[in-house]
Structure formats: structure tokens, C-alpha cells
Amino acid sequence: LEIIVVNDGSKDGSLKILEEYASKDSRVKVIDKENGGHGSTINVGIKYANGKYFRAIDGDDWVNTNDLKKLIKSLEIIEVDMVLTNFLKCYEDGKIEKEEFENIIPKKIYSFEEIVKQVKWMCYHSVIYRTKLLKEYDIRLDEKSFYVDAEYMIYPIPYVKTVVFFNYNIYCYR
């Protein structure tokens, strides 16, 4: 596990907190840069990523660590371009809604063409890409722009050949 945290120009003391985490855990790498927006932070993350798979997490969201541990073990023994997982919508009042994929066999490797015929949706919160694919095809999102989640989903698609689904709830979308 490699955790790349991008401080996108915050002036509120975030950098100091991030550096404290990095000093206690060698898996945490802190990148400090001028504000460039959401797309810019993902671009920097891809640039510095060395792991087999890449998952972007927004600053106000989090991951379910229990399922993340299971996912990491699963990813160690598989080689695909895209990984799909369920995700949770977490509301301020404590309500949680589970967004699940239906009619997909977990751990089965699908072609991209097969999977798009079987799913109703794929979104930023449910997708993990092979890092090598993002780097090899120089996937870069617009900077200083809104709604780059759609770009994150669309730009890699022409290069995705294989997809697997794991029945884990990884992303907690606030």
C-alpha cells in the first residue's frame, strides 16, 4: 500500500498534519503544490504512483479499511486494467446507502465489452485503474476545472481491455 497525499495549495495547516503522518508511516508520501484543483491532484498522484493499481480518494471522503485490506490481498494475485467495487454513500445524519453492482460474478475477469453490457453504471467511486495503464497512455485530467470525475472515468476507457469486480465496499462517499 502506497498513500500519496496531495496538498493542493491549502494554507490552513494541512501540510504540517500530513507531514506528521508521513514521518510516522513510510507508506505515506506527501506532495505539496500550488492550487490546481481536483484534476491537478489526480494528475500528480498518477505521476508519483508506483503501485500496481491507482485509486483516487477525494479529501472529504474515506475508505472502509476492513474491506480495503481484503481488496489489497485480492489485487496481489490478479492483473486487469480496471477493478470495480461497490461503494457507500455516507450522509451527515449517519445514514448509509450501499451502491452495489448486480449480476456480476465477483473475481471473474470480464472483457470491457462484456462488462458494459451487464452494468447500469460505473462511477468515480467504484473504479480502480491499473497504474501502468494510466501512465502508459498519459492519462491527464483538466486542471483548475470542475467535474473532472467524468474525465477520470472516460479518458482511460479506450485502453481498458480487462475488468474484474470484487464485492467489497471500499469508497465512502460523503
Side-chain angles (χ1 to χ4, degrees), residues 65-83:
T65 54
N66 290 331
D67 277 5
L68 180 62
K69 290 174 186 177
K70 297 173 193 172
L71 177 66
I72 290 169
K73 287 187 182 293
S74 297
L75 293 177
E76 289 174 352
I77 57 172
I78 200 158
E79 184 71 37
V80 294
D81 296 327
M82 176 189 277
V83 177

mmCIF file with all atom_site columns, all heavy atoms in Angstrom, residues 65-83:
data_model
loop_
_atom_site.group_PDB
_atom_site.id
_atom_site.type_symbol
_atom_site.label_atom_id
_atom_site.label_alt_id
_atom_site.label_comp_id
_atom_site.label_asym_id
_atom_site.label_entity_id
_atom_site.label_seq_id
_atom_site.pdbx_PDB_ins_code
_atom_site.Cartn_x
_atom_site.Cartn_y
_atom_site.Cartn_z
_atom_site.occupancy
_atom_site.B_iso_or_equiv
_atom_site.pdbx_formal_charge
_atom_site.auth_seq_id
_atom_site.auth_comp_id
_atom_site.auth_asym_id
_atom_site.auth_atom_id
_atom_site.pdbx_PDB_model_num
ATOM 1   N N   . THR A 1 65 ? -11.516 0.552   5.776   1.00 0.00 ? 65 THR A N   1
ATOM 2   C CA  . THR A 1 65 ? -10.223 -0.123  5.898   1.00 0.00 ? 65 THR A CA  1
ATOM 3   C C   . THR A 1 65 ? -10.333 -1.642  5.983   1.00 0.00 ? 65 THR A C   1
ATOM 4   O O   . THR A 1 65 ? -9.444  -2.341  5.511   1.00 0.00 ? 65 THR A O   1
ATOM 5   C CB  . THR A 1 65 ? -9.413  0.416   7.093   1.00 0.00 ? 65 THR A CB  1
ATOM 6   O OG1 . THR A 1 65 ? -10.209 0.323   8.272   1.00 0.00 ? 65 THR A OG1 1
ATOM 7   C CG2 . THR A 1 65 ? -9.004  1.851   6.863   1.00 0.00 ? 65 THR A CG2 1
ATOM 8   N N   . ASN A 1 66 ? -11.413 -2.156  6.556   1.00 0.00 ? 66 ASN A N   1
ATOM 9   C CA  . ASN A 1 66 ? -11.562 -3.615  6.631   1.00 0.00 ? 66 ASN A CA  1
ATOM 10  C C   . ASN A 1 66 ? -11.650 -4.225  5.230   1.00 0.00 ? 66 ASN A C   1
ATOM 11  O O   . ASN A 1 66 ? -10.979 -5.207  4.929   1.00 0.00 ? 66 ASN A O   1
ATOM 12  C CB  . ASN A 1 66 ? -12.778 -4.004  7.468   1.00 0.00 ? 66 ASN A CB  1
ATOM 13  C CG  . ASN A 1 66 ? -12.582 -3.697  8.937   1.00 0.00 ? 66 ASN A CG  1
ATOM 14  O OD1 . ASN A 1 66 ? -11.471 -3.706  9.448   1.00 0.00 ? 66 ASN A OD1 1
ATOM 15  N ND2 . ASN A 1 66 ? -13.663 -3.412  9.625   1.00 0.00 ? 66 ASN A ND2 1
ATOM 16  N N   . ASP A 1 67 ? -12.488 -3.646  4.376   1.00 0.00 ? 67 ASP A N   1
ATOM 17  C CA  . ASP A 1 67 ? -12.612 -4.163  3.017   1.00 0.00 ? 67 ASP A CA  1
ATOM 18  C C   . ASP A 1 67 ? -11.389 -3.822  2.178   1.00 0.00 ? 67 ASP A C   1
ATOM 19  O O   . ASP A 1 67 ? -11.022 -4.578  1.272   1.00 0.00 ? 67 ASP A O   1
ATOM 20  C CB  . ASP A 1 67 ? -13.886 -3.641  2.344   1.00 0.00 ? 67 ASP A CB  1
ATOM 21  C CG  . ASP A 1 67 ? -15.114 -4.464  2.724   1.00 0.00 ? 67 ASP A CG  1
ATOM 22  O OD1 . ASP A 1 67 ? -15.001 -5.367  3.581   1.00 0.00 ? 67 ASP A OD1 1
ATOM 23  O OD2 . ASP A 1 67 ? -16.198 -4.205  2.157   1.00 0.00 ? 67 ASP A OD2 1
ATOM 24  N N   . LEU A 1 68 ? -10.735 -2.707  2.478   1.00 0.00 ? 68 LEU A N   1
ATOM 25  C CA  . LEU A 1 68 ? -9.511  -2.350  1.747   1.00 0.00 ? 68 LEU A CA  1
ATOM 26  C C   . LEU A 1 68 ? -8.431  -3.415  1.946   1.00 0.00 ? 68 LEU A C   1
ATOM 27  O O   . LEU A 1 68 ? -7.747  -3.801  0.995   1.00 0.00 ? 68 LEU A O   1
ATOM 28  C CB  . LEU A 1 68 ? -8.994  -0.983  2.178   1.00 0.00 ? 68 LEU A CB  1
ATOM 29  C CG  . LEU A 1 68 ? -7.713  -0.507  1.484   1.00 0.00 ? 68 LEU A CG  1
ATOM 30  C CD1 . LEU A 1 68 ? -7.926  -0.365  -0.021  1.00 0.00 ? 68 LEU A CD1 1
ATOM 31  C CD2 . LEU A 1 68 ? -7.228  0.800   2.103   1.00 0.00 ? 68 LEU A CD2 1
ATOM 32  N N   . LYS A 1 69 ? -8.296  -3.918  3.161   1.00 0.00 ? 69 LYS A N   1
ATOM 33  C CA  . LYS A 1 69 ? -7.313  -4.976  3.426   1.00 0.00 ? 69 LYS A CA  1
ATOM 34  C C   . LYS A 1 69 ? -7.602  -6.214  2.580   1.00 0.00 ? 69 LYS A C   1
ATOM 35  O O   . LYS A 1 69 ? -6.697  -6.827  2.015   1.00 0.00 ? 69 LYS A O   1
ATOM 36  C CB  . LYS A 1 69 ? -7.300  -5.334  4.911   1.00 0.00 ? 69 LYS A CB  1
ATOM 37  C CG  . LYS A 1 69 ? -6.719  -4.263  5.788   1.00 0.00 ? 69 LYS A CG  1
ATOM 38  C CD  . LYS A 1 69 ? -6.863  -4.616  7.261   1.00 0.00 ? 69 LYS A CD  1
ATOM 39  C CE  . LYS A 1 69 ? -6.401  -3.479  8.136   1.00 0.00 ? 69 LYS A CE  1
ATOM 40  N NZ  . LYS A 1 69 ? -6.602  -3.759  9.568   1.00 0.00 ? 69 LYS A NZ  1
ATOM 41  N N   . LYS A 1 70 ? -8.881  -6.572  2.472   1.00 0.00 ? 70 LYS A N   1
ATOM 42  C CA  . LYS A 1 70 ? -9.266  -7.721  1.640   1.00 0.00 ? 70 LYS A CA  1
ATOM 43  C C   . LYS A 1 70 ? -8.974  -7.447  0.169   1.00 0.00 ? 70 LYS A C   1
ATOM 44  O O   . LYS A 1 70 ? -8.490  -8.322  -0.551  1.00 0.00 ? 70 LYS A O   1
ATOM 45  C CB  . LYS A 1 70 ? -10.752 -8.025  1.825   1.00 0.00 ? 70 LYS A CB  1
ATOM 46  C CG  . LYS A 1 70 ? -11.145 -8.444  3.220   1.00 0.00 ? 70 LYS A CG  1
ATOM 47  C CD  . LYS A 1 70 ? -12.664 -8.558  3.320   1.00 0.00 ? 70 LYS A CD  1
ATOM 48  C CE  . LYS A 1 70 ? -13.134 -8.663  4.745   1.00 0.00 ? 70 LYS A CE  1
ATOM 49  N NZ  . LYS A 1 70 ? -14.599 -8.594  4.855   1.00 0.00 ? 70 LYS A NZ  1
ATOM 50  N N   . LEU A 1 71 ? -9.283  -6.240  -0.270  1.00 0.00 ? 71 LEU A N   1
ATOM 51  C CA  . LEU A 1 71 ? -9.043  -5.875  -1.667  1.00 0.00 ? 71 LEU A CA  1
ATOM 52  C C   . LEU A 1 71 ? -7.560  -5.951  -2.009  1.00 0.00 ? 71 LEU A C   1
ATOM 53  O O   . LEU A 1 71 ? -7.195  -6.483  -3.061  1.00 0.00 ? 71 LEU A O   1
ATOM 54  C CB  . LEU A 1 71 ? -9.577  -4.474  -1.957  1.00 0.00 ? 71 LEU A CB  1
ATOM 55  C CG  . LEU A 1 71 ? -9.309  -3.957  -3.364  1.00 0.00 ? 71 LEU A CG  1
ATOM 56  C CD1 . LEU A 1 71 ? -10.059 -4.781  -4.406  1.00 0.00 ? 71 LEU A CD1 1
ATOM 57  C CD2 . LEU A 1 71 ? -9.658  -2.481  -3.482  1.00 0.00 ? 71 LEU A CD2 1
ATOM 58  N N   . ILE A 1 72 ? -6.718  -5.451  -1.145  1.00 0.00 ? 72 ILE A N   1
ATOM 59  C CA  . ILE A 1 72 ? -5.274  -5.476  -1.407  1.00 0.00 ? 72 ILE A CA  1
ATOM 60  C C   . ILE A 1 72 ? -4.790  -6.904  -1.605  1.00 0.00 ? 72 ILE A C   1
ATOM 61  O O   . ILE A 1 72 ? -4.036  -7.193  -2.537  1.00 0.00 ? 72 ILE A O   1
ATOM 62  C CB  . ILE A 1 72 ? -4.490  -4.752  -0.285  1.00 0.00 ? 72 ILE A CB  1
ATOM 63  C CG1 . ILE A 1 72 ? -4.769  -3.252  -0.367  1.00 0.00 ? 72 ILE A CG1 1
ATOM 64  C CG2 . ILE A 1 72 ? -2.996  -5.037  -0.383  1.00 0.00 ? 72 ILE A CG2 1
ATOM 65  C CD1 . ILE A 1 72 ? -4.280  -2.460  0.830   1.00 0.00 ? 72 ILE A CD1 1
ATOM 66  N N   . LYS A 1 73 ? -5.239  -7.816  -0.768  1.00 0.00 ? 73 LYS A N   1
ATOM 67  C CA  . LYS A 1 73 ? -4.867  -9.228  -0.932  1.00 0.00 ? 73 LYS A CA  1
ATOM 68  C C   . LYS A 1 73 ? -5.370  -9.769  -2.272  1.00 0.00 ? 73 LYS A C   1
ATOM 69  O O   . LYS A 1 73 ? -4.663  -10.502 -2.955  1.00 0.00 ? 73 LYS A O   1
ATOM 70  C CB  . LYS A 1 73 ? -5.416  -10.067 0.212   1.00 0.00 ? 73 LYS A CB  1
ATOM 71  C CG  . LYS A 1 73 ? -4.689  -9.860  1.522   1.00 0.00 ? 73 LYS A CG  1
ATOM 72  C CD  . LYS A 1 73 ? -5.189  -10.853 2.554   1.00 0.00 ? 73 LYS A CD  1
ATOM 73  C CE  . LYS A 1 73 ? -4.535  -10.646 3.880   1.00 0.00 ? 73 LYS A CE  1
ATOM 74  N NZ  . LYS A 1 73 ? -3.124  -10.944 3.902   1.00 0.00 ? 73 LYS A NZ  1
ATOM 75  N N   . SER A 1 74 ? -6.577  -9.401  -2.653  1.00 0.00 ? 74 SER A N   1
ATOM 76  C CA  . SER A 1 74 ? -7.143  -9.858  -3.933  1.00 0.00 ? 74 SER A CA  1
ATOM 77  C C   . SER A 1 74 ? -6.358  -9.297  -5.119  1.00 0.00 ? 74 SER A C   1
ATOM 78  O O   . SER A 1 74 ? -6.147  -9.993  -6.118  1.00 0.00 ? 74 SER A O   1
ATOM 79  C CB  . SER A 1 74 ? -8.612  -9.435  -4.046  1.00 0.00 ? 74 SER A CB  1
ATOM 80  O OG  . SER A 1 74 ? -9.388  -10.032 -3.039  1.00 0.00 ? 74 SER A OG  1
ATOM 81  N N   . LEU A 1 75 ? -5.932  -8.045  -5.015  1.00 0.00 ? 75 LEU A N   1
ATOM 82  C CA  . LEU A 1 75 ? -5.216  -7.406  -6.125  1.00 0.00 ? 75 LEU A CA  1
ATOM 83  C C   . LEU A 1 75 ? -3.806  -7.955  -6.309  1.00 0.00 ? 75 LEU A C   1
ATOM 84  O O   . LEU A 1 75 ? -3.246  -7.847  -7.400  1.00 0.00 ? 75 LEU A O   1
ATOM 85  C CB  . LEU A 1 75 ? -5.161  -5.897  -5.917  1.00 0.00 ? 75 LEU A CB  1
ATOM 86  C CG  . LEU A 1 75 ? -6.494  -5.164  -5.989  1.00 0.00 ? 75 LEU A CG  1
ATOM 87  C CD1 . LEU A 1 75 ? -6.303  -3.680  -5.704  1.00 0.00 ? 75 LEU A CD1 1
ATOM 88  C CD2 . LEU A 1 75 ? -7.173  -5.379  -7.329  1.00 0.00 ? 75 LEU A CD2 1
ATOM 89  N N   . GLU A 1 76 ? -3.252  -8.532  -5.266  1.00 0.00 ? 76 GLU A N   1
ATOM 90  C CA  . GLU A 1 76 ? -1.902  -9.091  -5.361  1.00 0.00 ? 76 GLU A CA  1
ATOM 91  C C   . GLU A 1 76 ? -1.828  -10.250 -6.355  1.00 0.00 ? 76 GLU A C   1
ATOM 92  O O   . GLU A 1 76 ? -0.778  -10.510 -6.924  1.00 0.00 ? 76 GLU A O   1
ATOM 93  C CB  . GLU A 1 76 ? -1.415  -9.550  -3.986  1.00 0.00 ? 76 GLU A CB  1
ATOM 94  C CG  . GLU A 1 76 ? -1.099  -8.403  -3.050  1.00 0.00 ? 76 GLU A CG  1
ATOM 95  C CD  . GLU A 1 76 ? -0.753  -8.862  -1.640  1.00 0.00 ? 76 GLU A CD  1
ATOM 96  O OE1 . GLU A 1 76 ? -0.903  -10.067 -1.324  1.00 0.00 ? 76 GLU A OE1 1
ATOM 97  O OE2 . GLU A 1 76 ? -0.346  -8.002  -0.842  1.00 0.00 ? 76 GLU A OE2 1
ATOM 98  N N   . ILE A 1 77 ? -2.949  -10.921 -6.582  1.00 0.00 ? 77 ILE A N   1
ATOM 99  C CA  . ILE A 1 77 ? -2.919  -12.138 -7.406  1.00 0.00 ? 77 ILE A CA  1
ATOM 100 C C   . ILE A 1 77 ? -3.667  -11.981 -8.729  1.00 0.00 ? 77 ILE A C   1
ATOM 101 O O   . ILE A 1 77 ? -3.976  -12.972 -9.380  1.00 0.00 ? 77 ILE A O   1
ATOM 102 C CB  . ILE A 1 77 ? -3.489  -13.338 -6.618  1.00 0.00 ? 77 ILE A CB  1
ATOM 103 C CG1 . ILE A 1 77 ? -4.916  -13.050 -6.141  1.00 0.00 ? 77 ILE A CG1 1
ATOM 104 C CG2 . ILE A 1 77 ? -2.576  -13.690 -5.453  1.00 0.00 ? 77 ILE A CG2 1
ATOM 105 C CD1 . ILE A 1 77 ? -5.618  -14.230 -5.528  1.00 0.00 ? 77 ILE A CD1 1
ATOM 106 N N   . ILE A 1 78 ? -3.940  -10.750 -9.122  1.00 0.00 ? 78 ILE A N   1
ATOM 107 C CA  . ILE A 1 78 ? -4.706  -10.546 -10.354 1.00 0.00 ? 78 ILE A CA  1
ATOM 108 C C   . ILE A 1 78 ? -4.055  -9.439  -11.183 1.00 0.00 ? 78 ILE A C   1
ATOM 109 O O   . ILE A 1 78 ? -3.374  -8.568  -10.645 1.00 0.00 ? 78 ILE A O   1
ATOM 110 C CB  . ILE A 1 78 ? -6.177  -10.217 -10.026 1.00 0.00 ? 78 ILE A CB  1
ATOM 111 C CG1 . ILE A 1 78 ? -7.047  -10.481 -11.229 1.00 0.00 ? 78 ILE A CG1 1
ATOM 112 C CG2 . ILE A 1 78 ? -6.332  -8.823  -9.503  1.00 0.00 ? 78 ILE A CG2 1
ATOM 113 C CD1 . ILE A 1 78 ? -8.497  -10.709 -10.867 1.00 0.00 ? 78 ILE A CD1 1
ATOM 114 N N   . GLU A 1 79 ? -4.255  -9.488  -12.476 1.00 0.00 ? 79 GLU A N   1
ATOM 115 C CA  . GLU A 1 79 ? -3.711  -8.462  -13.378 1.00 0.00 ? 79 GLU A CA  1
ATOM 116 C C   . GLU A 1 79 ? -4.797  -8.092  -14.380 1.00 0.00 ? 79 GLU A C   1
ATOM 117 O O   . GLU A 1 79 ? -5.052  -8.825  -15.332 1.00 0.00 ? 79 GLU A O   1
ATOM 118 C CB  . GLU A 1 79 ? -2.467  -8.996  -14.105 1.00 0.00 ? 79 GLU A CB  1
ATOM 119 C CG  . GLU A 1 79 ? -1.778  -7.983  -14.981 1.00 0.00 ? 79 GLU A CG  1
ATOM 120 C CD  . GLU A 1 79 ? -1.065  -6.888  -14.204 1.00 0.00 ? 79 GLU A CD  1
ATOM 121 O OE1 . GLU A 1 79 ? -0.501  -7.189  -13.136 1.00 0.00 ? 79 GLU A OE1 1
ATOM 122 O OE2 . GLU A 1 79 ? -1.076  -5.740  -14.658 1.00 0.00 ? 79 GLU A OE2 1
ATOM 123 N N   . VAL A 1 80 ? -5.470  -6.970  -14.122 1.00 0.00 ? 80 VAL A N   1
ATOM 124 C CA  . VAL A 1 80 ? -6.514  -6.462  -15.018 1.00 0.00 ? 80 VAL A CA  1
ATOM 125 C C   . VAL A 1 80 ? -6.319  -4.955  -15.171 1.00 0.00 ? 80 VAL A C   1
ATOM 126 O O   . VAL A 1 80 ? -5.582  -4.326  -14.415 1.00 0.00 ? 80 VAL A O   1
ATOM 127 C CB  . VAL A 1 80 ? -7.933  -6.763  -14.487 1.00 0.00 ? 80 VAL A CB  1
ATOM 128 C CG1 . VAL A 1 80 ? -8.220  -8.263  -14.473 1.00 0.00 ? 80 VAL A CG1 1
ATOM 129 C CG2 . VAL A 1 80 ? -8.157  -6.148  -13.116 1.00 0.00 ? 80 VAL A CG2 1
ATOM 130 N N   . ASP A 1 81 ? -7.023  -4.381  -16.139 1.00 0.00 ? 81 ASP A N   1
ATOM 131 C CA  . ASP A 1 81 ? -6.913  -2.943  -16.381 1.00 0.00 ? 81 ASP A CA  1
ATOM 132 C C   . ASP A 1 81 ? -7.814  -2.118  -15.473 1.00 0.00 ? 81 ASP A C   1
ATOM 133 O O   . ASP A 1 81 ? -7.477  -0.996  -15.104 1.00 0.00 ? 81 ASP A O   1
ATOM 134 C CB  . ASP A 1 81 ? -7.271  -2.625  -17.841 1.00 0.00 ? 81 ASP A CB  1
ATOM 135 C CG  . ASP A 1 81 ? -6.293  -3.256  -18.812 1.00 0.00 ? 81 ASP A CG  1
ATOM 136 O OD1 . ASP A 1 81 ? -5.097  -3.372  -18.483 1.00 0.00 ? 81 ASP A OD1 1
ATOM 137 O OD2 . ASP A 1 81 ? -6.730  -3.643  -19.917 1.00 0.00 ? 81 ASP A OD2 1
ATOM 138 N N   . MET A 1 82 ? -8.980  -2.665  -15.125 1.00 0.00 ? 82 MET A N   1
ATOM 139 C CA  . MET A 1 82 ? -9.954  -1.939  -14.312 1.00 0.00 ? 82 MET A CA  1
ATOM 140 C C   . MET A 1 82 ? -10.519 -2.863  -13.244 1.00 0.00 ? 82 MET A C   1
ATOM 141 O O   . MET A 1 82 ? -10.820 -4.017  -13.515 1.00 0.00 ? 82 MET A O   1
ATOM 142 C CB  . MET A 1 82 ? -11.100 -1.423  -15.191 1.00 0.00 ? 82 MET A CB  1
ATOM 143 C CG  . MET A 1 82 ? -12.221 -0.729  -14.443 1.00 0.00 ? 82 MET A CG  1
ATOM 144 S SD  . MET A 1 82 ? -13.664 -0.378  -15.501 1.00 0.00 ? 82 MET A SD  1
ATOM 145 C CE  . MET A 1 82 ? -13.144 1.148   -16.260 1.00 0.00 ? 82 MET A CE  1
ATOM 146 N N   . VAL A 1 83 ? -10.671 -2.323  -12.047 1.00 0.00 ? 83 VAL A N   1
ATOM 147 C CA  . VAL A 1 83 ? -11.271 -3.048  -10.937 1.00 0.00 ? 83 VAL A CA  1
ATOM 148 C C   . VAL A 1 83 ? -12.511 -2.267  -10.504 1.00 0.00 ? 83 VAL A C   1
ATOM 149 O O   . VAL A 1 83 ? -12.450 -1.048  -10.323 1.00 0.00 ? 83 VAL A O   1
ATOM 150 C CB  . VAL A 1 83 ? -10.287 -3.167  -9.749  1.00 0.00 ? 83 VAL A CB  1
ATOM 151 C CG1 . VAL A 1 83 ? -10.945 -3.857  -8.563  1.00 0.00 ? 83 VAL A CG1 1
ATOM 152 C CG2 . VAL A 1 83 ? -9.018  -3.884  -10.171 1.00 0.00 ? 83 VAL A CG2 1
#
